[in-house]
Amino acid sequence: MPDVRIVNRLDVDLDRERAELIAGLTASPAAIAPKYFYDRVGCALYRAICELPEYYPTRTEQAIFLRHRDAIADAIGRGGQFVDLGAGDCRKARSWLPLVAPSRYLAVDIAADAIAAALATMAPEFPEVEMVGIVTDFTRGLDLEGDLATDGAAVPATFFYPGSSIGNFGPAEALAFLAAIHRHCRAHVDSGLLIGVDTRKDPRRLAAAYDDAVGVTAAFNRNVLRHVNRLIGSDFRPEAFAHRGFWDEAAGRVEMHLEATTPQTVTLAGKARRFAAGERIHTENSYKYAPAEFASLLSGAGFRSHRCWQDDAGDFAVFHAR
Ligand code: AVI
């Protein structure tokens, strides 16, 4: 059985995480960071969202990957290291491995169980690939320099960040994150970034993608309150909050909120937090970029060249940047 190595770097200071959550919830307006969506139920609900007719990004990105797979694989090059940021169940990266034949695959995610299970299944299928799982919260900063192999000389790395997760950062944070990836690339000649980006489009389609007819996104949004209850011992009643998902044209983002349907009091760390009817908890932003806008973000982060592939309707964009 090939070797799988898991490095757990999640020296999460639980007290700090709890303090941040409580500070966000007692602030006005209240907020919860989107990383708290992804407990076990949240991951399952997100997988269901990706199957919804209204939620086009996953299937559109997949179609671009399929249609342009040879050109994208050529841009990446063969061999080297494939670094899967936010790997989850590693499903998206898995289809690239036969094409780009890396010597090492690094699955990076906050969800230890998900990557351990995925790597255990993948390792026998790709016995020639060294499999490493790195458990870390890279939204706090990306530092994988010590995890990248050098083999005497630096081994090229491809950073893979699909799914338009970059949209869940604000533009300034996105720039800082891309610059951190670029710094890693600079240290390893011929490295690059393969990234999926959701584009600006008809506001009705954007709103529907985050407020679907059967309510899967609503369940995903409300489930964050159950996760928070477990983490900080609060007593939120998810059913007492309504899902709101809408496009904000001026900000260039979809926003998700949970809105108190009645006046209510929640106990947070032993203290009462009153929510007025209609008061909202901001749970997520999902920024959308025109391809030219994203290209300038890439050059601002230090990338000197890029290629971009899109579907015919221009609903999604895949960039490879160096
Ligand atoms: C993970 N991320 C790219 C998703 C998005 O579209 O922003 C999360 C999501 N939220 C609601 N639906 C999907």
Side-chain angles (χ1 to χ4, degrees):
M1 168 89 160
D3 232 20
V4 172
R5 195 156 56 85
I6 305 283
V7 181
N8 198 328
R9 180 107 7 94
L10 203 61
D11 52 0
V12 177
D13 175 349
L14 278 178
D15 289 340
R16 186 180 60 177
E17 292 261 312
R18 285 195 192 104
E20 282 176 8
L21 261 172
I22 293 164
L25 284 163
T26 43
S28 192
I32 301 173
K35 66 182 173 185
Y36 294 108
F37 282 134
Y38 301 97
D39 65 351
R40 205 178 281 258
V41 172
C43 288
L45 288 167
Y46 180 59
R47 283 197 295 277
I49 286 175
C50 294
E51 303 291 333
L52 291 170
E54 295 94 332
Y55 194 77
Y56 57 85
T58 314
R59 77 178 66 86
T60 311
E61 181 183 59
Q62 188 54 31
I64 297 170
F65 282 162
L66 268 179
R67 180 166 168 194
H68 299 287
R69 47 190 253 147
D70 294 335
I72 295 172
D74 281 351
I76 294 173
R78 287 173 69 83
Q81 318 181 62
F82 200 78
V83 185
D84 189 2
L85 298 172
D89 61 11
C90 305
R91 207 188 315 178
K92 288 186 183 174
R94 189 188 196 137
S95 55
W96 285 106
L97 298 193
L99 279 168
V100 300
S103 54
R104 296 179 90 218
Y105 170 60
L106 282 87
V108 187
D109 205 288
I110 196 168
D113 293 353
I115 50 175
L119 291 180
T121 324
M122 281 164 77
E125 279 178 53
F126 301 98
E128 66 293 348
V129 183
E130 182 189 346
M131 301 265 167
V132 184
I134 298 168
V135 185
T136 186
D137 176 6
F138 58 75
T139 64
R140 288 191 179 277
L142 186 75
D143 182 9
L144 299 174
E145 205 35 69
D147 302 297
L148 294 173
T150 51
D151 231 8
V155 181
T158 295
F159 291 83
F160 182 51
Y161 199 41
S164 199
S165 296
I166 193 70
N168 297 132
F169 289 103
E173 298 162 313
L175 182 67
F177 185 66
L178 293 171
I181 296 177
H182 182 256
R183 272 196 301 279
H184 285 73
C185 289
R186 232 181 18 206
H188 298 256
V189 183
D190 286 335
S191 295
L193 165 67
L194 180 64
I195 187 166
V197 181
D198 195 9
T199 56
R200 287 175 178 256
K201 57 183 61 64
D202 179 349
R204 283 166 304 190
R205 289 186 59 214
L206 286 165
Y210 292 81
D211 193 8
D212 62 276
V214 292
V216 182
T217 310
F220 172 74
N221 198 8
R222 286 197 193 94
N223 179 65
V224 79
L225 295 179
R226 283 201 249 181
H227 190 198
V228 166
N229 282 346
R230 284 202 309 280
L231 291 170
I232 61 170
S234 49
D235 57 1
F236 279 103
R237 290 182 304 118
E239 69 282 6
F241 285 82
H243 166 67
R244 300 280 176 249
F246 56 85
W247 168 245
D248 179 334
E249 178 71 38
R253 68 192 192 197
V254 172
E255 292 187 13
M256 293 211 314
H257 298 256
L258 288 164
E259 185 176 300
T261 51
T262 53
Q264 54 193 284
T265 302
V266 176
T267 307
L268 286 176
K271 291 205 196 108
R273 162 61 157 110
R274 237 189 115 55
F275 285 91
E279 189 174 349
R280 289 175 174 177
I281 305 173
H282 191 172
T283 51
E284 187 176 60
N285 290 323
S286 199
Y287 283 84
K288 311 299 170 188
Y289 293 94
E293 232 181 323
F294 196 75
S296 50
L297 205 59
L298 285 171
S299 55
F303 290 96
R304 283 208 234 123
S305 63
H306 69 265
R307 289 194 61 186
C308 175
W309 297 268
Q310 286 201 265
D311 54 302
D312 291 338
D315 282 345
F316 202 87
V318 170
F319 286 82
H320 182 265
R322 286 190 189 280

